[in-house]
Amino acid sequence: METQFDASRNPDSFLQIGDLVGASFFFTSMTLLVISIFVFFRLKYMDKLWKEPIILAGLVPLIASLNAFYRRNYWIETMTDPVEFRFFDWFLTVPLMAICFYFLLRPLGARKRMFLMLFVGSLIMLGFGYIGESIYPESPITWGTLGSVGFCLIIGNIMAYGYPKIFQLGVDPSLRKGYLYLSLLLPLGWSVYPFGYMSAPGNIMEGFLAVDTISLMYNMADIFNKGGLAIGVYLIARYYKGPQDNEFQFLKKSILSDTPSNS
């Protein structure tokens, strides 16, 4: 049986007992991997209408899992968590998370403009955030403010454009409730990241959170945000029955046949 003394013989190669940050990387990677595998295994039982959002939602925890596993190894070797490694994950997963909302609304006639706004908003938020945290850390407030424009663009489209769609008469309750919960999960879960950003050197909350605390907080937020999105999309598809009116049937047939609709 391994003891603390045994584990500390080669501290550069093993996860140390009491290393909560290193353990959180491992827990995050394994949890997200399990969620992704589950979603993909259930994909064959889902209606074709929901295969695209389920695939996108399943890729999010898979990418984050691989990234967390790599960052865990890097943490064990160096006891650091570089900004660049976090953004490797975010530049892939955040746009996927955002455009999932478009695919959830596509059966209700969502236009491609929503897709574009969500995608562009995510790039604006991440691009300016990366500049302010890594390239020009001496001006984090300016870049953070610009990045907030992208965040508002994402949330604005999800709520201001999406809510009138899901609260139409005849919308399936599972889609309405699921979309509503996911639209609230996103800003709630993402609210963690600005605290880490503002605690970086030179920002208005410099020193408020230690580096270890930020990494631990981000890892738990990844499970909540990325795993929660995948499970939420799966549950919508799992319990969705859909209205049986002719207009909806036309939309469904149009989507599945890749024929542009007039909605």
Side-chain angles (χ1 to χ4, degrees):
M1 179 176 179
E2 185 181 57
T3 65
Q4 185 171 0
F5 175 75
D6 295 325
S8 63
R9 287 178 180 174
N10 191 353
D12 294 332
S13 302
F14 296 100
L15 178 64
Q16 297 295 292
I17 296 173
D19 182 359
L20 295 180
V21 177
S24 72
F25 279 120
F26 183 80
F27 181 74
T28 299
S29 64
M30 296 305 294
T31 302
L32 293 176
L33 180 61
V34 168
I35 292 173
S36 181
I37 291 174
F38 171 78
V39 169
F40 283 127
F41 265 91
R42 296 293 299 174
L43 181 62
K44 64 180 179 180
Y45 301 107
M46 299 295 106
D47 189 287
K48 291 182 179 180
L49 184 67
W50 298 108
K51 289 195 181 292
E52 285 180 331
I54 290 177
I55 290 172
L56 292 175
L59 286 173
V60 170
L62 179 61
I63 294 169
S65 170
L66 297 174
N67 181 268
F69 187 80
Y70 178 81
R71 287 165 60 202
R72 185 207 69 165
N73 293 337
Y74 196 92
W75 174 269
I76 291 173
E77 295 286 342
T78 67
M79 299 302 291
T80 60
D81 183 19
V83 171
E84 287 77 8
F85 293 167
R86 296 201 303 270
F87 278 92
F88 289 162
D89 175 335
W90 292 344
F91 270 112
L92 293 173
T93 57
V94 171
L96 289 176
M97 294 174 71
I99 64 175
C100 266
F101 287 87
Y102 161 76
F103 284 99
L104 289 175
L105 291 182
R106 200 164 67 152
L108 302 179
R111 298 179 181 272
K112 292 182 179 179
R113 178 182 175 276
M114 181 186 185
F115 178 97
L116 182 62
M117 291 296 100
L118 293 172
F119 185 74
V120 170
S122 63
L123 294 183
I124 291 174
M125 181 176 69
L126 292 169
F128 287 126
Y130 178 75
I131 292 173
E133 196 166 355
S134 183
I135 300 178
Y136 296 113
E138 66 276 6
S139 305
I141 298 176
T142 300
W143 298 110
T145 302
L146 292 173
S148 299
V149 174
F151 176 80
C152 293
L153 193 60
I154 295 172
I155 301 303
N157 273 272
I158 289 174
M159 294 184 175
Y161 180 81
Y163 284 0
K165 294 285 186 184
I166 64 171
F167 285 109
Q168 296 177 100
L169 292 177
V171 174
D172 183 88
S174 65
L175 176 56
R176 178 182 292 122
K177 292 178 182 178
Y179 187 94
L180 181 62
Y181 291 151
L182 288 177
S183 70
L184 298 176
L185 177 143
L186 204 63
L188 177 64
W190 283 3
S191 65
V192 170
Y193 303 114
F195 282 105
Y197 179 84
M198 290 186 293
S199 298
N203 216 322
I204 57 177
M205 294 174 58
E206 179 179 359
F208 180 77
L209 295 174
V211 175
D212 291 11
T213 304
I214 294 173
S215 296
L216 183 62
M217 183 174 64
Y218 281 175
N219 288 340
M220 296 300 100
D222 280 350
I223 296 175
F224 179 79
N225 297 328
K226 297 162 185 175
L229 176 80
I231 293 173
V233 172
Y234 163 75
L235 290 175
I236 290 174
R238 171 68 177 79
Y239 294 105
Y240 184 84
K241 293 180 176 60
Q244 300 301 311
D245 57 273
N246 293 332
E247 182 181 1
F248 175 78
Q249 294 300 328
F250 171 75
L251 284 170
K252 180 177 179 180
K253 182 178 179 181
S254 175
I255 291 170
L256 297 180
S257 63
D258 292 327
T259 301
S261 75
N262 295 324
S263 299

